[in-house]
Amino acid sequence: MLLSIEPDGPVPIYQQIRDRIVEAIADGRLPAGSALPSTRQLAVDLGVNFHTVNKGYDLLRQEGLLRLGRKAGAVVRRDAGSGPPDPGWAQDWTGRLRTLLAEAAAQGMPATDIVRECLAATGDFAFPATAAEAGNGSGGSP
Amino acid sequence: MSAGSLAAVLPVPVVGALLSVAARPARPTVQFGVRVPRERAGAPVIGRERRAYYWRTAAIGVCCTAAAVTVRGYGSWWLPRIILLLELAADLGCFWVARRKIAAVKNADNWFAGLRQTIATDTSWRTDPPRFPVRWLIPALAVMAATAAVGALRYPGLPAHIVTGSGHRVPKSAVSVLVVAGQLYFTAVYSGLM
């Protein structure tokens, strides 16, 4: 997996690391069970502080996407085929989506454009075809 | 010129020549350790500093070689090495001067204004690194083993005098044998065997 960040970008580096890994899980490049580099290794490779990577990994752990162990290291815990999301996650996500939509509305973006952008973005990721498929997943969820 | 004095002097022009051309194979976007945008790779300051570095280090190499050849007659084995160290320091100084001048222009003109810098890493190199091709070592190991076997058969013992790394002939003793063993050790280290 090619992980790229913009050190001078407006988004914090730990957030960029978290976002790139989420995108890789979503598009199938990092299926459940995939190993990620240790925080120190990734920090060295990206030339950033170890605590920055640690913060990004910890966010992913809190979201249930990553499992951090002393022996196994950082391992992807779930992907699109691992079944329905954890309870409460959908509610949080809806709240964040509302904020994103509010930003678009405040900037004067038409609803049709928003829907078109959303549909275009869904083509980039490996969504389960149906709700039933999401419920019958056989991914790496523990 | 004896083999010993040649061995002492030769590193001076060799190192001088190598450092003189060291800046040539550099990537266009990293000049003297300064990262520059691709569009600025042909900036006048870069060309000027590359030429200046080349001529400065070449002049230093010529001067140091002349000095090393001159002092070799005084019999001090350490004088050419001192000159070699001075040459290295002077060449590093030239590198630092070129680096500082390019960085100064880069910062003054804000070369990265409007550009997005990205750092990318391939995580699979960490999580699934390619295995070292051990089989590729077989020919080299076979050559080394054959050489050692032929050497042991033809020369079962060390000669009465041993030539050390500095070119001196010394009588065989525990110390001189250890010196040769140390040279073999470093040869093995450099060969990647240890």
Side-chain angles (χ1 to χ4, degrees), chain A:
Chain A
M1 170 203 161
L2 205 62
L3 196 153
S4 60
I5 59 166
E6 291 179 18
D8 299 323
V11 182
I13 292 174
Y14 74 87
Q15 187 72 40
Q16 293 185 48
I17 293 170
R18 177 260 178 202
D19 292 348
R20 295 299 88 75
I21 293 173
V22 170
E23 287 164 13
I25 295 171
D27 65 20
R29 281 178 293 151
L30 278 180
S34 301
L36 285 170
S38 72
T39 49
R40 290 184 190 282
Q41 286 174 338
L42 191 57
V44 168
D45 291 347
L46 292 174
V48 299
N49 193 291
F50 147 73
H51 293 291
T52 306
V53 180
N54 209 19
K55 198 169 176 180
Y57 275 17
D58 199 50
L59 269 179
L60 291 162
R61 184 189 60 77
Q62 288 173 20
E63 293 165 6
L65 289 172
L66 216 58
R67 190 170 55 233
L68 301 175
R70 284 187 182 277
K71 284 189 176 178
V75 179
V76 175
R77 182 174 163 265
R78 60 163 297 134
D79 60 13
S82 302
D86 295 334
W89 177 88
Q91 197 176 349
D92 292 343
W93 179 78
T94 307
R96 283 181 281 133
L97 179 64
R98 276 186 65 83
T99 308
L100 270 180
L101 290 173
E103 286 174 15
Q107 294 290 340
M109 195 169 178
T112 49
D113 288 2
I114 294 170
V115 172
R116 192 180 64 241
E117 292 294 332
C118 287
L119 284 173
T122 54
D124 295 338
F125 303 120
F127 287 98
T130 60
E133 187 182 322
N136 297 329
S138 57
S141 165

Side-chain angles (χ1 to χ4, degrees), chain B residues 37-51:
Chain B
R38 193 170 293 280
E39 301 77 34
R40 300 277 190 165
V45 66
I46 293 176
R48 192 168 63 240
E49 288 308 315
R50 283 173 71 99
R51 284 191 298 276

Side-chain angles (χ1 to χ4, degrees), chain B residues 144-168:
Chain B
M144 289 180 71
T147 307
V150 171
L153 286 173
R154 286 196 63 182
Y155 308 104
L158 288 170
H161 289 84
I162 294 173
V163 179
T164 63
S166 57
H168 295 90

Side-chain angles (χ1 to χ4, degrees), chain B residues 1-175:
Chain B
M1 188 181 285
S2 68
S5 58
L6 180 67
V9 169
L10 194 60
V12 177
V14 169
V15 169
L18 286 175
L19 286 176
S20 181
V21 297
R24 293 198 172 192
R27 279 183 291 170
T29 52
V30 183
Q31 296 290 337
F32 294 99
V34 180
R35 190 168 292 282
V36 299
R38 193 170 293 280
E39 301 77 34
R40 300 277 190 165
V45 66
I46 293 176
R48 192 168 63 240
E49 288 308 315
R50 283 173 71 99
R51 284 191 298 276
Y53 173 82
Y54 175 75
W55 287 113
R56 283 175 194 147
T57 49
I60 289 167
V62 169
C63 293
C64 288
T65 304
V69 170
T70 306
V71 301
R72 77 185 158 83
Y74 291 97
S76 299
W77 61 269
W78 48 269
L79 269 175
R81 298 190 180 182
I82 295 285
I83 291 170
L84 180 63
L85 282 176
L86 291 174
E87 182 185 35
L88 279 169
D91 286 351
L92 284 174
C94 293
F95 186 94
W96 182 76
V97 167
R99 175 189 167 87
R100 202 184 60 163
K101 288 188 176 177
I102 293 172
V105 174
K106 170 190 164 182
N107 293 330
D109 294 350
N110 201 5
W111 283 1
F112 276 103
L115 296 175
R116 290 166 65 183
Q117 282 186 282
T118 302
I119 301 170
T121 179
D122 188 352
T123 58
S124 58
W125 284 94
R126 294 290 193 184
T127 54
D128 187 21
R131 292 184 180 280
F132 182 77
V134 180
R135 287 181 184 176
W136 291 8
L137 286 178
I138 291 173
L141 289 174
V143 168
M144 289 180 71
T147 307
V150 171
L153 286 173
R154 286 196 63 182
Y155 308 104
L158 288 170
H161 289 84
I162 294 173
V163 179
T164 63
S166 57
H168 295 90
R169 279 169 62 85
V170 294
K172 184 170 74 172
S173 66
V175 174

